């Protein structure tokens, strides 16, 4: 990917897309095509077709998606399946029609079965039932992976799907009804500290295990994958057991209860934790096996506690004020 290559980052206002833009700019890429959702509704087939025909991007990072935490995913399933299917189908299809050289499709490890063996390998996809709370999102993302694979097989495209674990960082969603656990806890602890509240409620039992990664590490991995030499890249696309699919994990696994204690310390809240077991736990464990990515020479850099401090700094500077 030359420094003047035309690169479309779909979803550049989101946490993942904006981190990819920061990474590309740091790396000297200047020819970025960026459209807000009001300028280009990616769910609109004819608008996406016209955009690709006019802009002719050479590389695409597909980070546009409807995402959310466990409650948003389970209560707004229709929006999750419709928006994600429409966005990715239009972008992947037009990327093929307009000769895009490489496309990176971003999803999440929610695509894997609820009781997948741990750590979860790419080959565990579709081997048993999904976690019901996010099955609509997962099925949409699985359709996108299959679209990448089948386009590669039938049309010779070079589209790769990368599945990160639970992400967090600058630009995260801090709306308590729609957010994921880490931003929710940062906000809850911060507000409890400000108001002098005696306790903070953590959803579920606190026992589920999750693997967290700072979004800047994902952006770094995304560029790394886009820049892989042809031989390694083709090998990823051609794997016979799980073609065009790669996990992007940090290996930093922690229980929700211990995560809550870490956030409590970072924020400096001195009250108690209360577990609300009427709220769902979701899948018990979701640790990705990232050995394929590690074998290529990539590893995360940001350790969880440092990353949580960074996210909290962003929350206080950009969100609260
Ligand atoms: P998941 O990884 O897809 O299950 O999504 P989440 O990040 O929403 O939730 C991860 C785990 O954190 C689940 O077990 C939640 O019940 C738990 N959790 C604890 N407190 C919260 C909270 O305030 N918000 C969210 N979203 N999850 C929480």
């Amino acid at each position: 990917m030359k420094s003047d290559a035309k690169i479309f980052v779909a979803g550049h206002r989101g946490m993942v897309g904006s981190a990819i833009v920061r990474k590309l700019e740091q790396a000297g890429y200047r020819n970025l095509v960026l459209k807000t959702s009001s300028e280009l509704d990616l769910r609109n087939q004819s608008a996406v077709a016209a955009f690709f025909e006019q802009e002719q991007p050479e590389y695409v990072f597909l980070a546009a998606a409807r995402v959310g935490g466990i409650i948003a995913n389970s209560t707004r399933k229709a929006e999750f399946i419709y928006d994600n299917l429409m966005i990715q189908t239009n972008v992947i299809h037009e990327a093929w029609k307009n000769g895009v050289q490489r496309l990176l499709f971003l999803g999440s490890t929610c695509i894997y079965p609820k009781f997948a063996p741990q750590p979860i390998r790419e080959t565990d996809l579709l081997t048993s039932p999904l976690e019901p709370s996010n099955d609509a999102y997962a099925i949409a993302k699985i359709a996108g992976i299959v679209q990448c694979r089948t386009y590669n097989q039938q049309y010779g495209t070079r589209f790769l799907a990368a599945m990160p674990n639970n992400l967090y960082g600058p630009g995260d969603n801090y709306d308590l009804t729609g957010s994921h656990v880490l931003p929710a806890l940062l906000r809850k602890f911060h507000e409890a500290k400000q108001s002098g509240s005696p306790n903070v409620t953590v959803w579920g039992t606190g026992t589920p295990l999750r693997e967290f990664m700072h979004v800047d590490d994902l952006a770094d991995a995304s560029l790394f994958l886009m820049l892989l030499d042809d031989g390694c890249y083709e090998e990823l696309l051609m794997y016979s057991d799980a073609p065009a699919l790669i996990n992007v994990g940090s290996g930093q696994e922690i229980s929700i209860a211990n995560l809550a204690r870490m956030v409590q310390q970072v924020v400096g809240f001195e009250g108690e934790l209360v577990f609300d077991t009427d709220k769902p736990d979701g899948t018990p464990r979701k640790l990705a096996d990232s050995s394929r990515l590690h074998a290529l020479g990539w590893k995360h850099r940001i350790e969880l506690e440092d990353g949580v401090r960074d996210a909290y700094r962003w929350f206080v500077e950009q969100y609260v004020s």
Side-chain angles (χ1 to χ4, degrees), residues 69-70 166 179-181 184 188 202-203 208 210 256 280-281 286:
I70 193 161
N166 289 44
S179 66
H180 283 103
V181 60
K188 286 184 190 175
V202 180
W203 295 354
R210 292 290 182 275
I256 296 301
D281 268 346
K286 209 165 42 167

Side-chain angles (χ1 to χ4, degrees), residues 6-20:
K6 195 164 198 180
I7 305 168
F8 174 40
V9 181
H12 74 285
R13 287 265 185 96
M15 175 173 69
V16 171
S18 57
I20 291 175

